[in-house]
Amino acid sequence: MVASLFDRIVVVDWSAHTGPKRGADSIWICSLDAGTRGRPDSEVLENIPTRLEAHARLAELIAPRATTGSTPGSMRTLLAVDVALGYPRGTAHSAGLIGSSRRRPWESMWQHLATSYREGARNRPEREHDRWTVATDLNRRLVASGSG
C-alpha cells in the first residue's frame, strides 16, 4: 500500500456575497479524505451561506485528528483557497504598516487587515470595521505618504 501525501484535501471557492447566500456567488467547500487504496474515503461538497460559518467549518476541517498510519493527533492537510488578495510591492511600507516590527511586508499587511476588518453575523461587518472604512484608511495612508 502506498502512503498518501495528504490525509485530507480541502478546496474552497470564496465567492462571498454581501448577505447570506447559497448557490452562485457564494462559498463552496469540497473536502476529500484519503482512503486506503489511493481513492478518497469520503467526499463532501458544502455550500456555506456566510463567511463566519465558512471560517468555522474550515477550522473544523483542518483541526488535527488521529488518522490511520499517522502520528496520533496529526493530520496532513492540503488547503487550497481561491481568493484574490494581492497588493503591489511596497504597499505595506507606503501605508506605514512596517514600523519597527520584524514582520515581512505581506505579514504586516495581513495583520493590519485582520485587526482592522471585523466580520459580524450574516456577512455584515461590525460598525466602523467594514471593508469601505478599512480601504478608506489605507487610501488615506497612501496619499499621506505621497504614494497614492
Side-chain angles (χ1 to χ4, degrees), residues 100-132:
S100 61
S101 77
R102 300 184 132 218
R103 286 190 184 115
R104 292 173 286 207
W106 65 266
E107 291 172 314
S108 296
M109 179 62 85
W110 284 14
Q111 180 64 36
H112 175 73
L113 294 175
T115 57
S116 298
Y117 180 84
R118 292 197 204 116
E119 184 76 50
R122 302 183 55 76
N123 281 357
R124 302 284 188 230
E126 292 180 7
R127 183 170 290 209
E128 303 302 319
H129 297 282
D130 63 14
R131 63 185 172 164
W132 304 113

PDB file of all heavy atoms in Angstrom, residues 100-132:
ATOM      1  N   SER A 100       8.584  49.151  13.303  1.00  0.00           N
ATOM      2  CA  SER A 100       9.821  48.545  13.793  1.00  0.00           C
ATOM      3  C   SER A 100       9.702  47.032  13.951  1.00  0.00           C
ATOM      4  O   SER A 100      10.597  46.396  14.480  1.00  0.00           O
ATOM      5  CB  SER A 100      10.201  49.176  15.139  1.00  0.00           C
ATOM      6  OG  SER A 100       9.173  48.947  16.083  1.00  0.00           O
ATOM      7  N   SER A 101       8.594  46.463  13.491  1.00  0.00           N
ATOM      8  CA  SER A 101       8.417  45.011  13.646  1.00  0.00           C
ATOM      9  C   SER A 101       9.359  44.267  12.708  1.00  0.00           C
ATOM     10  O   SER A 101       9.882  44.821  11.749  1.00  0.00           O
ATOM     11  CB  SER A 101       6.977  44.608  13.349  1.00  0.00           C
ATOM     12  OG  SER A 101       6.747  44.600  11.965  1.00  0.00           O
ATOM     13  N   ARG A 102       9.556  43.017  13.003  1.00  0.00           N
ATOM     14  CA  ARG A 102      10.412  42.180  12.158  1.00  0.00           C
ATOM     15  C   ARG A 102       9.574  41.403  11.151  1.00  0.00           C
ATOM     16  O   ARG A 102      10.076  40.497  10.506  1.00  0.00           O
ATOM     17  CB  ARG A 102      11.225  41.226  13.027  1.00  0.00           C
ATOM     18  CG  ARG A 102      12.100  41.989  14.002  1.00  0.00           C
ATOM     19  CD  ARG A 102      12.953  41.057  14.786  1.00  0.00           C
ATOM     20  NE  ARG A 102      14.290  41.620  14.718  1.00  0.00           N
ATOM     21  CZ  ARG A 102      15.391  40.919  14.602  1.00  0.00           C
ATOM     22  NH1 ARG A 102      15.334  39.623  14.549  1.00  0.00           N
ATOM     23  NH2 ARG A 102      16.556  41.508  14.550  1.00  0.00           N
ATOM     24  N   ARG A 103       8.311  41.782  11.032  1.00  0.00           N
ATOM     25  CA  ARG A 103       7.445  41.107  10.074  1.00  0.00           C
ATOM     26  C   ARG A 103       7.861  41.443   8.645  1.00  0.00           C
ATOM     27  O   ARG A 103       8.323  42.530   8.358  1.00  0.00           O
ATOM     28  CB  ARG A 103       5.997  41.574  10.248  1.00  0.00           C
ATOM     29  CG  ARG A 103       5.316  41.045  11.442  1.00  0.00           C
ATOM     30  CD  ARG A 103       3.835  41.385  11.344  1.00  0.00           C
ATOM     31  NE  ARG A 103       3.171  40.961  12.553  1.00  0.00           N
ATOM     32  CZ  ARG A 103       2.608  41.774  13.411  1.00  0.00           C
ATOM     33  NH1 ARG A 103       2.583  43.063  13.199  1.00  0.00           N
ATOM     34  NH2 ARG A 103       2.030  41.305  14.492  1.00  0.00           N
ATOM     35  N   ARG A 104       7.595  40.478   7.772  1.00  0.00           N
ATOM     36  CA  ARG A 104       7.774  40.743   6.350  1.00  0.00           C
ATOM     37  C   ARG A 104       6.604  41.618   5.902  1.00  0.00           C
ATOM     38  O   ARG A 104       5.553  41.624   6.537  1.00  0.00           O
ATOM     39  CB  ARG A 104       7.810  39.423   5.588  1.00  0.00           C
ATOM     40  CG  ARG A 104       9.085  38.625   5.944  1.00  0.00           C
ATOM     41  CD  ARG A 104       9.044  37.280   5.341  1.00  0.00           C
ATOM     42  NE  ARG A 104       8.088  36.484   6.117  1.00  0.00           N
ATOM     43  CZ  ARG A 104       8.130  35.180   6.231  1.00  0.00           C
ATOM     44  NH1 ARG A 104       9.049  34.491   5.609  1.00  0.00           N
ATOM     45  NH2 ARG A 104       7.237  34.530   6.947  1.00  0.00           N
ATOM     46  N   PRO A 105       6.763  42.370   4.807  1.00  0.00           N
ATOM     47  CA  PRO A 105       5.701  43.286   4.383  1.00  0.00           C
ATOM     48  C   PRO A 105       4.327  42.629   4.239  1.00  0.00           C
ATOM     49  O   PRO A 105       3.328  43.180   4.686  1.00  0.00           O
ATOM     50  CB  PRO A 105       6.206  43.826   3.041  1.00  0.00           C
ATOM     51  CG  PRO A 105       7.695  43.755   3.171  1.00  0.00           C
ATOM     52  CD  PRO A 105       7.960  42.508   3.968  1.00  0.00           C
ATOM     53  N   TRP A 106       4.260  41.452   3.619  1.00  0.00           N
ATOM     54  CA  TRP A 106       2.959  40.811   3.448  1.00  0.00           C
ATOM     55  C   TRP A 106       2.346  40.440   4.790  1.00  0.00           C
ATOM     56  O   TRP A 106       1.130  40.485   4.961  1.00  0.00           O
ATOM     57  CB  TRP A 106       3.046  39.610   2.505  1.00  0.00           C
ATOM     58  CG  TRP A 106       3.874  38.461   2.997  1.00  0.00           C
ATOM     59  CD1 TRP A 106       5.185  38.224   2.740  1.00  0.00           C
ATOM     60  CD2 TRP A 106       3.442  37.383   3.831  1.00  0.00           C
ATOM     61  NE1 TRP A 106       5.606  37.078   3.360  1.00  0.00           N
ATOM     62  CE2 TRP A 106       4.548  36.536   4.034  1.00  0.00           C
ATOM     63  CE3 TRP A 106       2.234  37.041   4.417  1.00  0.00           C
ATOM     64  CZ2 TRP A 106       4.481  35.388   4.800  1.00  0.00           C
ATOM     65  CZ3 TRP A 106       2.158  35.885   5.187  1.00  0.00           C
ATOM     66  CH2 TRP A 106       3.281  35.068   5.367  1.00  0.00           C
ATOM     67  N   GLU A 107       3.194  40.062   5.776  1.00  0.00           N
ATOM     68  CA  GLU A 107       2.672  39.743   7.107  1.00  0.00           C
ATOM     69  C   GLU A 107       2.102  40.990   7.782  1.00  0.00           C
ATOM     70  O   GLU A 107       1.068  40.923   8.453  1.00  0.00           O
ATOM     71  CB  GLU A 107       3.772  39.144   7.983  1.00  0.00           C
ATOM     72  CG  GLU A 107       4.212  37.771   7.549  1.00  0.00           C
ATOM     73  CD  GLU A 107       5.427  37.283   8.321  1.00  0.00           C
ATOM     74  OE1 GLU A 107       6.392  38.065   8.486  1.00  0.00           O
ATOM     75  OE2 GLU A 107       5.401  36.116   8.746  1.00  0.00           O
ATOM     76  N   SER A 108       2.757  42.130   7.584  1.00  0.00           N
ATOM     77  CA  SER A 108       2.260  43.389   8.146  1.00  0.00           C
ATOM     78  C   SER A 108       0.918  43.761   7.530  1.00  0.00           C
ATOM     79  O   SER A 108       0.004  44.206   8.227  1.00  0.00           O
ATOM     80  CB  SER A 108       3.264  44.512   7.906  1.00  0.00           C
ATOM     81  OG  SER A 108       4.461  44.247   8.597  1.00  0.00           O
ATOM     82  N   MET A 109       0.789  43.577   6.220  1.00  0.00           N
ATOM     83  CA  MET A 109      -0.472  43.887   5.541  1.00  0.00           C
ATOM     84  C   MET A 109      -1.578  42.963   6.041  1.00  0.00           C
ATOM     85  O   MET A 109      -2.677  43.414   6.377  1.00  0.00           O
ATOM     86  CB  MET A 109      -0.301  43.753   4.025  1.00  0.00           C
ATOM     87  CG  MET A 109      -1.575  44.025   3.250  1.00  0.00           C
ATOM     88  SD  MET A 109      -2.221  45.693   3.449  1.00  0.00           S
ATOM     89  CE  MET A 109      -1.276  46.541   2.218  1.00  0.00           C
ATOM     90  N   TRP A 110      -1.301  41.670   6.126  1.00  0.00           N
ATOM     91  CA  TRP A 110      -2.314  40.726   6.590  1.00  0.00           C
ATOM     92  C   TRP A 110      -2.707  41.015   8.033  1.00  0.00           C
ATOM     93  O   TRP A 110      -3.874  40.937   8.396  1.00  0.00           O
ATOM     94  CB  TRP A 110      -1.817  39.293   6.436  1.00  0.00           C
ATOM     95  CG  TRP A 110      -1.844  38.787   5.024  1.00  0.00           C
ATOM     96  CD1 TRP A 110      -2.006  39.524   3.878  1.00  0.00           C
ATOM     97  CD2 TRP A 110      -1.698  37.448   4.613  1.00  0.00           C
ATOM     98  NE1 TRP A 110      -1.951  38.704   2.789  1.00  0.00           N
ATOM     99  CE2 TRP A 110      -1.774  37.424   3.202  1.00  0.00           C
ATOM    100  CE3 TRP A 110      -1.498  36.248   5.290  1.00  0.00           C
ATOM    101  CZ2 TRP A 110      -1.667  36.256   2.470  1.00  0.00           C
ATOM    102  CZ3 TRP A 110      -1.398  35.082   4.546  1.00  0.00           C
ATOM    103  CH2 TRP A 110      -1.479  35.093   3.154  1.00  0.00           C
ATOM    104  N   GLN A 111      -1.734  41.333   8.871  1.00  0.00           N
ATOM    105  CA  GLN A 111      -2.022  41.656  10.273  1.00  0.00           C
ATOM    106  C   GLN A 111      -2.912  42.894  10.358  1.00  0.00           C
ATOM    107  O   GLN A 111      -3.861  42.935  11.130  1.00  0.00           O
ATOM    108  CB  GLN A 111      -0.728  41.871  11.058  1.00  0.00           C
ATOM    109  CG  GLN A 111      -0.942  42.219  12.516  1.00  0.00           C
ATOM    110  CD  GLN A 111      -1.625  41.086  13.286  1.00  0.00           C
ATOM    111  OE1 GLN A 111      -1.393  39.913  13.034  1.00  0.00           O
ATOM    112  NE2 GLN A 111      -2.485  41.441  14.218  1.00  0.00           N
ATOM    113  N   HIS A 112      -2.592  43.902   9.557  1.00  0.00           N
ATOM    114  CA  HIS A 112      -3.410  45.118   9.538  1.00  0.00           C
ATOM    115  C   HIS A 112      -4.851  44.792   9.129  1.00  0.00           C
ATOM    116  O   HIS A 112      -5.806  45.238   9.778  1.00  0.00           O
ATOM    117  CB  HIS A 112      -2.803  46.153   8.582  1.00  0.00           C
ATOM    118  CG  HIS A 112      -3.650  47.364   8.423  1.00  0.00           C
ATOM    119  ND1 HIS A 112      -3.788  48.322   9.405  1.00  0.00           N
ATOM    120  CD2 HIS A 112      -4.444  47.766   7.392  1.00  0.00           C
ATOM    121  CE1 HIS A 112      -4.613  49.255   8.992  1.00  0.00           C
ATOM    122  NE2 HIS A 112      -5.018  48.944   7.771  1.00  0.00           N
ATOM    123  N   LEU A 113      -5.012  44.027   8.055  1.00  0.00           N
ATOM    124  CA  LEU A 113      -6.361  43.681   7.598  1.00  0.00           C
ATOM    125  C   LEU A 113      -7.095  42.829   8.627  1.00  0.00           C
ATOM    126  O   LEU A 113      -8.293  43.024   8.867  1.00  0.00           O
ATOM    127  CB  LEU A 113      -6.291  42.954   6.252  1.00  0.00           C
ATOM    128  CG  LEU A 113      -5.775  43.797   5.083  1.00  0.00           C
ATOM    129  CD1 LEU A 113      -5.638  42.941   3.835  1.00  0.00           C
ATOM    130  CD2 LEU A 113      -6.667  44.998   4.828  1.00  0.00           C
ATOM    131  N   ALA A 114      -6.377  41.904   9.253  1.00  0.00           N
ATOM    132  CA  ALA A 114      -7.009  41.018  10.249  1.00  0.00           C
ATOM    133  C   ALA A 114      -7.495  41.787  11.467  1.00  0.00           C
ATOM    134  O   ALA A 114      -8.509  41.420  12.069  1.00  0.00           O
ATOM    135  CB  ALA A 114      -6.030  39.922  10.675  1.00  0.00           C
ATOM    136  N   THR A 115      -6.800  42.846  11.840  1.00  0.00           N
ATOM    137  CA  THR A 115      -7.203  43.608  13.025  1.00  0.00           C
ATOM    138  C   THR A 115      -8.124  44.772  12.680  1.00  0.00           C
ATOM    139  O   THR A 115      -8.859  45.243  13.546  1.00  0.00           O
ATOM    140  CB  THR A 115      -5.979  44.142  13.796  1.00  0.00           C
ATOM    141  OG1 THR A 115      -5.191  44.939  12.918  1.00  0.00           O
ATOM    142  CG2 THR A 115      -5.149  43.005  14.357  1.00  0.00           C
ATOM    143  N   SER A 116      -8.116  45.233  11.438  1.00  0.00           N
ATOM    144  CA  SER A 116      -8.938  46.383  11.045  1.00  0.00           C
ATOM    145  C   SER A 116     -10.354  45.981  10.642  1.00  0.00           C
ATOM    146  O   SER A 116     -11.314  46.662  10.973  1.00  0.00           O
ATOM    147  CB  SER A 116      -8.291  47.127   9.879  1.00  0.00           C
ATOM    148  OG  SER A 116      -7.042  47.628  10.251  1.00  0.00           O
ATOM    149  N   TYR A 117     -10.481  44.902   9.887  1.00  0.00           N
ATOM    150  CA  TYR A 117     -11.786  44.446   9.413  1.00  0.00           C
ATOM    151  C   TYR A 117     -12.328  43.410  10.389  1.00  0.00           C
ATOM    152  O   TYR A 117     -11.635  42.471  10.764  1.00  0.00           O
ATOM    153  CB  TYR A 117     -11.667  43.826   8.021  1.00  0.00           C
ATOM    154  CG  TYR A 117     -12.985  43.338   7.488  1.00  0.00           C
ATOM    155  CD1 TYR A 117     -13.846  44.218   6.849  1.00  0.00           C
ATOM    156  CD2 TYR A 117     -13.387  42.027   7.647  1.00  0.00           C
ATOM    157  CE1 TYR A 117     -15.068  43.796   6.375  1.00  0.00           C
ATOM    158  CE2 TYR A 117     -14.609  41.589   7.177  1.00  0.00           C
ATOM    159  CZ  TYR A 117     -15.455  42.475   6.538  1.00  0.00           C
ATOM    160  OH  TYR A 117     -16.668  42.053   6.081  1.00  0.00           O
ATOM    161  N   ARG A 118     -13.560  43.593  10.803  1.00  0.00           N
ATOM    162  CA  ARG A 118     -14.184  42.622  11.711  1.00  0.00           C
ATOM    163  C   ARG A 118     -15.521  42.199  11.149  1.00  0.00           C
ATOM    164  O   ARG A 118     -16.419  43.017  10.953  1.00  0.00           O
ATOM    165  CB  ARG A 118     -14.361  43.227  13.099  1.00  0.00           C
ATOM    166  CG  ARG A 118     -13.034  43.455  13.765  1.00  0.00           C
ATOM    167  CD  ARG A 118     -13.178  43.653  15.253  1.00  0.00           C
ATOM    168  NE  ARG A 118     -12.032  44.412  15.705  1.00  0.00           N
ATOM    169  CZ  ARG A 118     -12.089  45.620  16.233  1.00  0.00           C
ATOM    170  NH1 ARG A 118     -13.222  46.206  16.434  1.00  0.00           N
ATOM    171  NH2 ARG A 118     -10.987  46.238  16.584  1.00  0.00           N
ATOM    172  N   GLU A 119     -15.642  40.920  10.898  1.00  0.00           N
ATOM    173  CA  GLU A 119     -16.868  40.346  10.335  1.00  0.00           C
ATOM    174  C   GLU A 119     -17.894  40.148  11.434  1.00  0.00           C
ATOM    175  O   GLU A 119     -17.593  39.637  12.500  1.00  0.00           O
ATOM    176  CB  GLU A 119     -16.531  38.998   9.693  1.00  0.00           C
ATOM    177  CG  GLU A 119     -17.686  38.362   8.990  1.00  0.00           C
ATOM    178  CD  GLU A 119     -17.974  39.023   7.655  1.00  0.00           C
ATOM    179  OE1 GLU A 119     -17.055  39.194   6.854  1.00  0.00           O
ATOM    180  OE2 GLU A 119     -19.129  39.388   7.427  1.00  0.00           O
ATOM    181  N   GLY A 120     -19.104  40.555  11.164  1.00  0.00           N
ATOM    182  CA  GLY A 120     -20.214  40.296  12.069  1.00  0.00           C
ATOM    183  C   GLY A 120     -21.073  39.182  11.509  1.00  0.00           C
ATOM    184  O   GLY A 120     -20.707  38.519  10.536  1.00  0.00           O
ATOM    185  N   ALA A 121     -22.213  38.987  12.090  1.00  0.00           N
ATOM    186  CA  ALA A 121     -23.128  37.930  11.651  1.00  0.00           C
ATOM    187  C   ALA A 121     -23.752  38.286  10.303  1.00  0.00           C
ATOM    188  O   ALA A 121     -23.811  39.450   9.920  1.00  0.00           O
ATOM    189  CB  ALA A 121     -24.214  37.728  12.693  1.00  0.00           C
ATOM    190  N   ARG A 122     -24.190  37.288   9.582  1.00  0.00           N
ATOM    191  CA  ARG A 122     -24.929  37.443   8.338  1.00  0.00           C
ATOM    192  C   ARG A 122     -24.149  38.213   7.265  1.00  0.00           C
ATOM    193  O   ARG A 122     -24.709  38.995   6.524  1.00  0.00           O
ATOM    194  CB  ARG A 122     -26.292  38.066   8.599  1.00  0.00           C
ATOM    195  CG  ARG A 122     -27.141  37.253   9.581  1.00  0.00           C
ATOM    196  CD  ARG A 122     -28.527  37.815   9.789  1.00  0.00           C
ATOM    197  NE  ARG A 122     -29.279  37.996   8.557  1.00  0.00           N
ATOM    198  CZ  ARG A 122     -29.865  37.032   7.834  1.00  0.00           C
ATOM    199  NH1 ARG A 122     -29.773  35.781   8.225  1.00  0.00           N
ATOM    200  NH2 ARG A 122     -30.537  37.311   6.745  1.00  0.00           N
ATOM    201  N   ASN A 123     -22.829  37.991   7.215  1.00  0.00           N
ATOM    202  CA  ASN A 123     -21.950  38.640   6.240  1.00  0.00           C
ATOM    203  C   ASN A 123     -21.958  40.161   6.356  1.00  0.00           C
ATOM    204  O   ASN A 123     -21.690  40.866   5.406  1.00  0.00           O
ATOM    205  CB  ASN A 123     -22.305  38.243   4.801  1.00  0.00           C
ATOM    206  CG  ASN A 123     -21.777  36.886   4.442  1.00  0.00           C
ATOM    207  OD1 ASN A 123     -21.099  36.241   5.216  1.00  0.00           O
ATOM    208  ND2 ASN A 123     -22.105  36.437   3.257  1.00  0.00           N
ATOM    209  N   ARG A 124     -22.255  40.652   7.510  1.00  0.00           N
ATOM    210  CA  ARG A 124     -22.241  42.098   7.748  1.00  0.00           C
ATOM    211  C   ARG A 124     -21.095  42.414   8.691  1.00  0.00           C
ATOM    212  O   ARG A 124     -20.993  41.827   9.772  1.00  0.00           O
ATOM    213  CB  ARG A 124     -23.546  42.570   8.391  1.00  0.00           C
ATOM    214  CG  ARG A 124     -24.775  42.255   7.581  1.00  0.00           C
ATOM    215  CD  ARG A 124     -24.884  43.204   6.402  1.00  0.00           C
ATOM    216  NE  ARG A 124     -26.165  43.025   5.746  1.00  0.00           N
ATOM    217  CZ  ARG A 124     -26.294  42.847   4.452  1.00  0.00           C
ATOM    218  NH1 ARG A 124     -25.256  42.812   3.676  1.00  0.00           N
ATOM    219  NH2 ARG A 124     -27.475  42.695   3.920  1.00  0.00           N
ATOM    220  N   PRO A 125     -20.214  43.349   8.307  1.00  0.00           N
ATOM    221  CA  PRO A 125     -19.099  43.698   9.194  1.00  0.00           C
ATOM    222  C   PRO A 125     -19.592  44.478  10.403  1.00  0.00           C
ATOM    223  O   PRO A 125     -20.673  45.058  10.381  1.00  0.00           O
ATOM    224  CB  PRO A 125     -18.207  44.561   8.316  1.00  0.00           C
ATOM    225  CG  PRO A 125     -19.127  45.123   7.288  1.00  0.00           C
ATOM    226  CD  PRO A 125     -20.197  44.093   7.063  1.00  0.00           C
ATOM    227  N   GLU A 126     -18.781  44.469  11.445  1.00  0.00           N
ATOM    228  CA  GLU A 126     -19.090  45.284  12.609  1.00  0.00           C
ATOM    229  C   GLU A 126     -19.012  46.750  12.209  1.00  0.00           C
ATOM    230  O   GLU A 126     -18.216  47.129  11.353  1.00  0.00           O
ATOM    231  CB  GLU A 126     -18.081  45.008  13.732  1.00  0.00           C
ATOM    232  CG  GLU A 126     -18.199  43.635  14.324  1.00  0.00           C
ATOM    233  CD  GLU A 126     -17.189  43.398  15.425  1.00  0.00           C
ATOM    234  OE1 GLU A 126     -16.470  44.344  15.823  1.00  0.00           O
ATOM    235  OE2 GLU A 126     -17.111  42.256  15.885  1.00  0.00           O
ATOM    236  N   ARG A 127     -19.822  47.566  12.818  1.00  0.00           N
ATOM    237  CA  ARG A 127     -19.832  49.000  12.517  1.00  0.00           C
ATOM    238  C   ARG A 127     -18.428  49.583  12.669  1.00  0.00           C
ATOM    239  O   ARG A 127     -17.719  49.246  13.600  1.00  0.00           O
ATOM    240  CB  ARG A 127     -20.793  49.706  13.464  1.00  0.00           C
ATOM    241  CG  ARG A 127     -20.940  51.189  13.183  1.00  0.00           C
ATOM    242  CD  ARG A 127     -22.049  51.724  13.987  1.00  0.00           C
ATOM    243  NE  ARG A 127     -23.267  51.164  13.407  1.00  0.00           N
ATOM    244  CZ  ARG A 127     -24.432  51.766  13.448  1.00  0.00           C
ATOM    245  NH1 ARG A 127     -24.566  52.899  14.047  1.00  0.00           N
ATOM    246  NH2 ARG A 127     -25.481  51.206  12.895  1.00  0.00           N
ATOM    247  N   GLU A 128     -18.032  50.433  11.769  1.00  0.00           N
ATOM    248  CA  GLU A 128     -16.723  51.103  11.736  1.00  0.00           C
ATOM    249  C   GLU A 128     -15.564  50.147  11.428  1.00  0.00           C
ATOM    250  O   GLU A 128     -14.409  50.531  11.556  1.00  0.00           O
ATOM    251  CB  GLU A 128     -16.427  51.857  13.045  1.00  0.00           C
ATOM    252  CG  GLU A 128     -17.472  52.889  13.410  1.00  0.00           C
ATOM    253  CD  GLU A 128     -17.656  53.951  12.319  1.00  0.00           C
ATOM    254  OE1 GLU A 128     -16.663  54.402  11.750  1.00  0.00           O
ATOM    255  OE2 GLU A 128     -18.820  54.299  12.048  1.00  0.00           O
ATOM    256  N   HIS A 129     -15.863  48.918  11.066  1.00  0.00           N
ATOM    257  CA  HIS A 129     -14.808  47.964  10.713  1.00  0.00           C
ATOM    258  C   HIS A 129     -15.147  47.258   9.399  1.00  0.00           C
ATOM    259  O   HIS A 129     -14.753  46.131   9.169  1.00  0.00           O
ATOM    260  CB  HIS A 129     -14.599  46.931  11.826  1.00  0.00           C
ATOM    261  CG  HIS A 129     -14.146  47.532  13.107  1.00  0.00           C
ATOM    262  ND1 HIS A 129     -12.849  47.914  13.311  1.00  0.00           N
ATOM    263  CD2 HIS A 129     -14.820  47.860  14.222  1.00  0.00           C
ATOM    264  CE1 HIS A 129     -12.728  48.436  14.514  1.00  0.00           C
ATOM    265  NE2 HIS A 129     -13.910  48.418  15.080  1.00  0.00           N
ATOM    266  N   ASP A 130     -15.880  47.951   8.519  1.00  0.00           N
ATOM    267  CA  ASP A 130     -16.253  47.338   7.256  1.00  0.00           C
ATOM    268  C   ASP A 130     -15.151  47.543   6.214  1.00  0.00           C
ATOM    269  O   ASP A 130     -14.187  48.268   6.439  1.00  0.00           O
ATOM    270  CB  ASP A 130     -17.594  47.884   6.754  1.00  0.00           C
ATOM    271  CG  ASP A 130     -17.569  49.379   6.450  1.00  0.00           C
ATOM    272  OD1 ASP A 130     -16.470  49.971   6.368  1.00  0.00           O
ATOM    273  OD2 ASP A 130     -18.651  49.949   6.289  1.00  0.00           O
ATOM    274  N   ARG A 131     -15.281  46.900   5.087  1.00  0.00           N
ATOM    275  CA  ARG A 131     -14.231  46.957   4.067  1.00  0.00           C
ATOM    276  C   ARG A 131     -14.045  48.360   3.511  1.00  0.00           C
ATOM    277  O   ARG A 131     -12.950  48.739   3.124  1.00  0.00           O
ATOM    278  CB  ARG A 131     -14.500  45.955   2.954  1.00  0.00           C
ATOM    279  CG  ARG A 131     -15.768  46.222   2.184  1.00  0.00           C
ATOM    280  CD  ARG A 131     -16.031  45.126   1.193  1.00  0.00           C
ATOM    281  NE  ARG A 131     -17.356  45.303   0.609  1.00  0.00           N
ATOM    282  CZ  ARG A 131     -17.740  44.714  -0.478  1.00  0.00           C
ATOM    283  NH1 ARG A 131     -16.930  43.895  -1.112  1.00  0.00           N
ATOM    284  NH2 ARG A 131     -18.946  44.913  -0.952  1.00  0.00           N
ATOM    285  N   TRP A 132     -15.117  49.148   3.457  1.00  0.00           N
ATOM    286  CA  TRP A 132     -15.010  50.507   2.932  1.00  0.00           C
ATOM    287  C   TRP A 132     -14.209  51.383   3.891  1.00  0.00           C
ATOM    288  O   TRP A 132     -13.397  52.197   3.451  1.00  0.00           O
ATOM    289  CB  TRP A 132     -16.397  51.095   2.678  1.00  0.00           C
ATOM    290  CG  TRP A 132     -17.204  50.230   1.765  1.00  0.00           C
ATOM    291  CD1 TRP A 132     -18.333  49.528   2.087  1.00  0.00           C
ATOM    292  CD2 TRP A 132     -16.935  49.919   0.397  1.00  0.00           C
ATOM    293  NE1 TRP A 132     -18.778  48.811   1.004  1.00  0.00           N
ATOM    294  CE2 TRP A 132     -17.940  49.032  -0.054  1.00  0.00           C
ATOM    295  CE3 TRP A 132     -15.941  50.303  -0.498  1.00  0.00           C
ATOM    296  CZ2 TRP A 132     -17.967  48.540  -1.349  1.00  0.00           C
ATOM    297  CZ3 TRP A 132     -15.979  49.802  -1.785  1.00  0.00           C
ATOM    298  CH2 TRP A 132     -16.979  48.935  -2.195  1.00  0.00           C
TER     299      TRP A 132
END
